[in-house]
Amino acid sequence: MEQVRLGIIGIGGMGTNHALSIVKGTVPEMQLTAVADIREIRRSWAKDNLPGSVAIFDDGRKLIESGTCDAVLIATPHYFHPDFVIYALEHGIHAITEKPAGVYTKKIKEMNEAASKSDKVFAIMLNQRTNCVYRKLHEMIESGELGELKRVNWIITDWYRTQAYYDAAGWKATWDGEGGGVLLNQSPHQLDLLQWLCGMPVKVRAFCHEGKWHDIEVEDDVTAYLEYANGATGVFVTSTGDAPGTNRLEITFDRGKVICEHDKLLLYKLSESEREFSRTCPDGFKKPEMTVSEVETDGKNEQHTGVLKAFADRILHGGKLVAEGTEGIRGLTLSNAMHLSSWLDRTIEIPFDEDTFLEELNKRRATSKKKTDKGIVFDTTGTY
Amino acid sequence: MEQVRLGIIGIGGMGTNHALSIVKGTVPEMQLTAVADIREIRRSWAKDNLPGSVAIFDDGRKLIESGTCDAVLIATPHYFHPDFVIYALEHGIHAITEKPAGVYTKKIKEMNEAASKSDKVFAIMLNQRTNCVYRKLHEMIESGELGELKRVNWIITDWYRTQAYYDAAGWKATWDGEGGGVLLNQSPHQLDLLQWLCGMPVKVRAFCHEGKWHDIEVEDDVTAYLEYANGATGVFVTSTGDAPGTNRLEITFDRGKVICEHDKLLLYKLSESEREFSRTCPDGFKKPEMTVSEVETDGKNEQHTGVLKAFADRILHGGKLVAEGTEGIRGLTLSNAMHLSSWLDRTIEIPFDEDTFLEELNKRRATSKKKTDKGIVFDTTGTY
C-alpha cells in the first residue's frame, strides 16, 4: 500500500474542509476515495466540487462496506462517532474520528472495547496536540523539572460564534443533535490538553449557562472548578460569547510557573522548591529566586494535517499517532462531569455514575427542539 | 488646625510602618502624637525608635481619651477595628481603620451605624484604590464606554508568604485572633477593587482551603465563582502559597475587554456592541472589529500615603477621601460569603444570613489554637 485510501463520513463543516485539504495533496500518503453524507445537498456539493474518482455514498455504512477505502475519517454529528468507529473497525477498516469521541462516556467505553479487540488503527482528531507550545510544555512537565502541580487556570473564551453559526446546521447546539454546546464542540481540544498536561482531576464543580449568549438550548458559557488527587486546584472558563476572547493557560508547579498565551510559552523558573523554601526561609515576605524566559519550541504546528499524516504513517509504517483514539474518553469525561455538576448543582467526583449522566442527558434530549438544517457550510480554516 | 494630630492604635507590622512613615514627614498635614499597643515589647520599641514627643499608651481607649490626638489610625488585629472606630467616633475623634473593616459584617453594620450618627471623618485604608491603573479603569467603566459587564477573572496569587510570616505574630492566621487568612489579610484590597469596579455579585460559590500551604488553621488558598444580577460571571483566585504568583485582572464587557497586569492597563475596544453583532452578522465565524491599546493613566500611585493625605485633607479642608469608612463592608461581605460558601459547601446568595455566618465563625473560634506572639515585625514596605 503506497497511499491510504480515505473515506470521509459526514461532509458538513469539518468533513468538507478535510476533503478539500486532502484533495489538494496536503497529506501525501493519503488519497480521498470516497465521501458519505445523508444530506442530498452535501452529496450534490461533493459531485460538483470533488474529483470524479471520489465515490459518493448516502450512508457511512455503505461507504465502509464498499471496498473503496482502507480508512475512514468520521466527521458526523458527535452522537454517531462511536457507532461509525465500531462499524469501521469491525469491518477491518482503520478509523479516525473527529473530536469529541462521542457525547457520553458510557458509549465511548463500548467504542474503546471494540478498538481493543481490533488490529486496525484507531485515532482521534485532537489536532491541538500538534501545537509546538503544548508539545513543548508536555515534554517539560513529563521531565519532572517543574515539580508537582499546584494550580491551573485556563481561560479559553476565544471560541467566538455568532447566532448565524448556530442557525446554519440543524444538529448543532441541540441536546438531541449535538448533546452539548461549547463543551462538546469547541472546547474538547482544551479539555484534552488539560488532561494531557495536568492529568485528570478527581472532583469537578461547574456552572454551565445554557443559551446565555445565543438562542440555543445548550451551554455557551462555562466556568468549572477542579480538584486533583494531590490537592492541586484548577479553573476552566470557556464561552462562545466573548469578543475578543482570551486563550491563556497558566500552570503553577512547585518549581515554577508557565503561561501559554499568544502562541508563546513563558517560563518562570524557581531556583528551588517553593514548598521547601516556605518551610525554611526565616523571612516572612521573601520569595524564592526566579528567572523568566520564553521557552524555545520547534515551531511546528501542523494541526489537522499533522494528525492525518501521523494516521497514515501509523497505517503504512507503524509510526506514532498524535492521539490514540482510546484517549478521547478523558476529555469527554471532563465535559460530562462539568455538565452533570451543573445539572445536579453539586460537586461531581470522577469517576461519576455514567447511568445518571445518561439519564440526565436523555431528559434533555426528550424535550430537545428540532431545527431546520440549512446545509450551510462555513469556511472553518483557522477556526480550530 | 494646621496639622492633624494622629494616634496609631496597634504598632505591629502595619502600624509600625505607618508610624515611621509619618514621622519622616511623608504626610505634611499630619503629625504623629501618640501610639498604643497592649504588648510591652512594642511599646518599648516605640520608646526607643519614635520621637520623645510621641505619647505611648498600653490601651487604645486611653489614647483616644487622652486629648493627644484629633484622629486615630487603627492597625490592631481585625476583630478590634470596629470597636476602636466606634469608640473614637463616640469620643469626637476622627478614625481611619486598616483593612479589612472587621471580621464579620454584622459587626460592621454597628460601626457604620455609629459613623452615620457622628460628624467626624471615618475612612478606611483601601490604599490600592490610589493605583492609577485601577482609578483609570474605574473611570472608564463609570463612563459607560465599555458597556455592560459580562465576565471578570482575577488571579491574585502574588501574596506569597512563608511559614515564618505566620509564625511571627500570635493573632495571625487563627480563627480567634484574625478570623480568616488570605481573604481577611491580603486580598481585602482586591475584594474591594472587585466590587468597586464590577459591583456586588448576587451569588458566590467558593472553595477555601485551610492550612493548605502553611501550618495554619485558616484558609491560604481560595477559588471563588461569582454571579452578578445581570448574569455576568466571575472567578477570583487568591493564595499565599504561589511563587511566583500572578496578579492579573481581566474584565470583559459588551464593547470590549480590559486586562490589568504588570501595572499596565490594556484595552481591547470593539467597534460595536458584541450582543448586537452576534444577532445581526450573517457569518458564523466572524468577530466584531477591534483595536488594542495601552491606556494612559496619570501615573500616580501614592498608596498608604495617598490615603492618609486625603484623610488629613478631609479633616482640615473637607476634601474627598480615597474610600469612605462605611464602604469597607462591601469587600468584607464578599469574603464572608466566600467563607460561608466553603464552610457550608454550597452557593451563597448575597445578602446572606449574618447570624449563620457568625455562628459558623464562632464554632471555629471556639476550637482555635493559641499561638505564641513573638512580637516580630517584618519590614512590609512594598508588600501591600
Side-chain angles (χ1 to χ4, degrees):
Chain A
M1 201 193 309
E2 285 192 2
Q3 272 193 318
V4 173
R5 297 175 305 148
L6 185 81
I8 297 180
I9 302 176
I11 44 169
M14 290 311 301
T16 299
N17 282 276
H18 290 315
L20 293 173
S21 170
I22 293 163
V23 163
K24 265 192 248 168
T26 52
V27 187
E29 292 190 316
M30 197 168 256
Q31 58 168 311
L32 185 71
T33 53
V35 295
D37 204 294
I38 55 169
R39 296 168 297 183
E40 204 287 321
I41 190 172
R42 296 311 300 158
R43 293 195 299 276
S44 163
W45 172 89
K47 206 175 162 188
D48 295 345
N49 292 278
L50 296 176
S53 60
V54 177
I56 300 171
F57 298 90
D58 63 4
D59 184 327
R61 283 165 300 189
K62 291 184 194 163
L63 180 150
I64 288 168
E65 294 161 1
S66 69
T68 59
C69 308
D70 308 308
V72 288
L73 190 169
I74 297 149
T76 61
H78 320 322
Y79 275 110
F80 306 110
H81 293 175
D83 283 333
F84 280 120
V85 167
I86 294 168
Y87 201 79
L89 295 176
E90 287 180 352
H91 285 76
I93 304 289
H94 307 287
I96 179 166
T97 179
E98 259 295 343
K99 50 84 213 166
V103 177
Y104 50 99
T105 53
K106 194 174 179 177
K107 184 79 188 179
I108 305 310
K109 286 189 177 163
E110 287 176 33
M111 175 171 76
N112 286 357
E113 181 67 21
S116 75
K117 288 179 190 156
S118 165
D119 64 348
K120 297 299 161 190
V121 178
F122 172 35
I124 184 165
M125 187 61 82
L126 292 170
N127 44 285
Q128 292 281 3
R129 283 203 201 175
T130 66
N131 186 317
C132 49
V133 165
Y134 302 122
R135 274 191 290 112
K136 181 66 192 177
L137 179 52
H138 184 253
E139 196 183 302
M140 286 163 61
I141 295 171
E142 293 289 303
S143 79
E145 63 181 290
L146 296 169
E148 217 179 329
L149 177 71
K150 291 172 70 179
R151 188 185 311 284
V152 55
N153 186 299
W154 203 334
I155 307 176
I156 170 64
T157 52
D158 74 344
W159 286 120
Y160 189 68
R161 298 292 184 263
T162 64
Q163 184 62 42
Y165 167 84
Y166 291 108
D167 294 343
W171 64 283
K172 267 187 193 154
T174 60
W175 291 117
D176 198 42
E178 180 157 20
V182 64
L183 288 177
L184 267 280
N185 198 306
Q186 285 78 26
S187 294
H189 291 300
Q190 285 79 29
L191 291 174
D192 173 65
L193 291 173
L194 186 63
Q195 71 77 22
W196 194 50
L197 296 168
C198 299
M200 289 294 283
V202 293
K203 284 186 192 176
V204 173
R205 180 64 174 98
F207 305 87
C208 303
H209 297 273
E210 298 170 358
K212 178 170 184 173
W213 307 114
H214 306 89
D215 182 16
I216 54 174
E217 55 187 39
V218 297
E219 84 289 349
D220 54 5
D221 193 293
V222 176
T223 301
Y225 165 77
L226 315 168
E227 278 184 25
Y228 294 82
N230 75 342
T233 62
V235 169
F236 186 84
V237 180
T238 191
S239 171
T240 55
D242 284 14
T246 293
N247 183 0
R248 182 180 184 278
L249 168 64
E250 172 178 308
I251 316 181
T252 307
F253 300 89
D254 182 37
R255 294 174 175 273
K257 175 173 87 171
V258 290
I259 296 174
C260 297
E261 195 177 10
H262 308 306
D263 294 319
K264 284 192 197 327
L265 176 55
L266 271 186
L267 171 65
Y268 298 73
K269 190 79 169 56
L270 302 186
S271 59
E272 59 191 301
S273 152
E274 179 284 316
R275 298 285 67 216
E276 183 62 18
F277 180 86
S278 177
R279 279 188 289 268
T280 54
C281 176
D283 191 300
F285 290 90
K286 229 179 139 187
K287 298 176 186 183
E289 277 178 37
M290 181 190 76
T291 54
V292 186
S293 60
E294 190 186 328
V295 178
E296 265 194 62
T297 70
D298 64 19
K300 289 183 191 156
N301 188 2
E302 286 202 298
Q303 293 290 338
H304 299 112
T305 306
V307 175
L308 291 176
K309 279 182 183 171
F311 181 53
D313 183 54
R314 164 71 71 93
I315 294 168
L316 298 173
H317 320 293
K320 196 170 150 49
L321 291 176
V322 171
E324 297 286 338
T326 50
E327 290 177 43
I329 197 169
R330 297 188 199 151
L332 193 67
T333 298
L334 288 177
S335 87
N336 280 190
M338 289 178 189
H339 271 126
L340 192 58
S341 170
S342 192
W343 292 339
L344 303 183
D345 196 20
R346 63 171 173 82
T347 300
I348 296 297
E349 292 190 17
I350 292 175
F352 52 84
D353 183 62
E354 293 179 325
D355 290 319
T356 305
F357 178 84
L358 192 52
E359 201 178 294
E360 289 292 325
L361 175 64
N362 285 340
K363 271 190 217 170
R364 285 156 182 85
R365 294 184 76 173
T367 57
S368 186
K369 286 193 196 104
K370 295 271 172 251
K371 291 198 298 179
T372 312
D373 194 318
K374 299 183 185 169
I376 295 172
V377 170
F378 297 111
D379 177 7
T380 59
T381 315
T383 63
Y384 39 81
Chain B
M1 203 194 310
E2 285 191 359
Q3 272 192 318
V4 173
R5 295 175 307 150
L6 184 81
I8 298 180
I9 301 176
I11 43 170
M14 290 310 300
T16 299
N17 283 275
H18 291 314
L20 292 173
S21 170
I22 292 164
V23 164
K24 264 192 249 167
T26 50
V27 187
E29 292 190 314
M30 196 168 257
Q31 59 168 311
L32 185 71
T33 53
V35 295
D37 205 295
I38 56 170
R39 297 168 295 182
E40 204 287 322
I41 190 171
R42 297 309 302 156
R43 294 196 299 275
S44 163
W45 173 89
K47 207 175 161 188
D48 295 345
N49 292 277
L50 296 176
S53 60
V54 176
I56 301 170
F57 297 90
D58 63 3
D59 184 328
R61 285 166 298 188
K62 291 183 194 164
L63 181 150
I64 289 169
E65 294 160 3
S66 69
T68 59
C69 309
D70 309 308
V72 288
L73 190 170
I74 297 149
T76 61
H78 321 321
Y79 275 110
F80 305 110
H81 293 175
D83 283 332
F84 280 119
V85 167
I86 294 170
Y87 201 78
L89 295 176
E90 288 180 352
H91 285 74
I93 303 290
H94 307 287
I96 180 166
T97 179
E98 260 294 342
K99 50 84 212 166
V103 177
Y104 50 99
T105 54
K106 194 174 179 178
K107 184 79 188 181
I108 306 310
K109 286 189 177 163
E110 287 175 34
M111 175 172 74
N112 286 357
E113 180 68 19
S116 75
K117 289 179 188 159
S118 165
D119 64 348
K120 296 301 161 189
V121 178
F122 172 34
I124 183 164
M125 186 62 80
L126 292 170
N127 45 284
Q128 292 281 3
R129 284 203 200 174
T130 66
N131 186 318
C132 49
V133 165
Y134 302 122
R135 274 190 292 113
K136 181 68 191 176
L137 179 52
H138 183 254
E139 195 184 300
M140 287 164 61
I141 294 171
E142 293 290 302
S143 80
E145 64 180 291
L146 296 170
E148 217 179 331
L149 177 71
K150 291 171 70 180
R151 188 186 311 285
V152 54
N153 187 297
W154 203 334
I155 309 176
I156 170 63
T157 52
D158 74 345
W159 286 121
Y160 189 67
R161 298 293 184 263
T162 64
Q163 183 63 41
Y165 166 85
Y166 292 107
D167 293 343
W171 63 282
K172 266 185 193 154
T174 60
W175 292 117
D176 198 42
E178 180 157 20
V182 64
L183 289 176
L184 268 279
N185 198 306
Q186 286 78 28
S187 294
H189 292 299
Q190 285 78 31
L191 291 174
D192 173 64
L193 291 172
L194 186 64
Q195 70 77 23
W196 194 50
L197 296 167
C198 299
M200 290 293 286
V202 293
K203 283 185 193 178
V204 173
R205 180 67 174 99
F207 305 86
C208 303
H209 297 272
E210 299 170 357
K212 179 170 184 174
W213 307 114
H214 305 90
D215 182 16
I216 53 173
E217 56 187 39
V218 297
E219 83 289 349
D220 55 4
D221 193 293
V222 176
T223 300
Y225 165 78
L226 315 168
E227 277 183 27
Y228 294 83
N230 75 342
T233 61
V235 169
F236 186 84
V237 180
T238 192
S239 172
T240 55
D242 284 16
T246 293
N247 182 1
R248 182 180 185 278
L249 169 63
E250 172 177 308
I251 316 182
T252 307
F253 300 89
D254 182 37
R255 292 172 177 273
K257 175 173 88 170
V258 290
I259 296 174
C260 297
E261 196 178 9
H262 308 306
D263 295 319
K264 286 193 196 328
L265 176 55
L266 271 186
L267 171 65
Y268 299 73
K269 190 79 171 55
L270 302 187
S271 59
E272 59 191 300
S273 151
E274 178 284 316
R275 297 285 67 218
E276 182 62 19
F277 180 87
S278 177
R279 280 189 288 267
T280 53
C281 176
D283 191 298
F285 290 90
K286 229 180 140 187
K287 298 176 187 184
E289 276 177 39
M290 180 190 77
T291 54
V292 186
S293 60
E294 190 187 327
V295 179
E296 263 193 64
T297 70
D298 64 19
K300 289 182 192 156
N301 188 2
E302 286 201 296
Q303 293 290 338
H304 299 112
T305 305
V307 174
L308 291 176
K309 279 183 183 170
F311 181 53
D313 183 54
R314 164 71 70 92
I315 295 169
L316 298 173
H317 320 292
K320 196 169 149 52
L321 290 176
V322 170
E324 297 286 338
T326 50
E327 289 177 43
I329 197 168
R330 297 190 199 148
L332 193 67
T333 298
L334 288 176
S335 86
N336 280 189
M338 289 177 190
H339 272 125
L340 193 58
S341 169
S342 192
W343 291 339
L344 302 183
D345 197 20
R346 62 171 172 83
T347 300
I348 296 297
E349 293 190 16
I350 291 176
F352 53 83
D353 184 62
E354 293 179 326
D355 290 320
T356 305
F357 178 83
L358 192 52
E359 200 178 296
E360 288 293 325
L361 175 64
N362 285 339
K363 270 189 216 168
R364 285 156 182 87
R365 294 184 77 172
T367 58
S368 186
K369 287 194 197 106
K370 295 272 172 252
K371 291 197 299 178
T372 311
D373 195 318
K374 298 184 186 168
I376 295 172
V377 170
F378 297 113
D379 177 8
T380 60
T381 315
T383 62
Y384 39 81

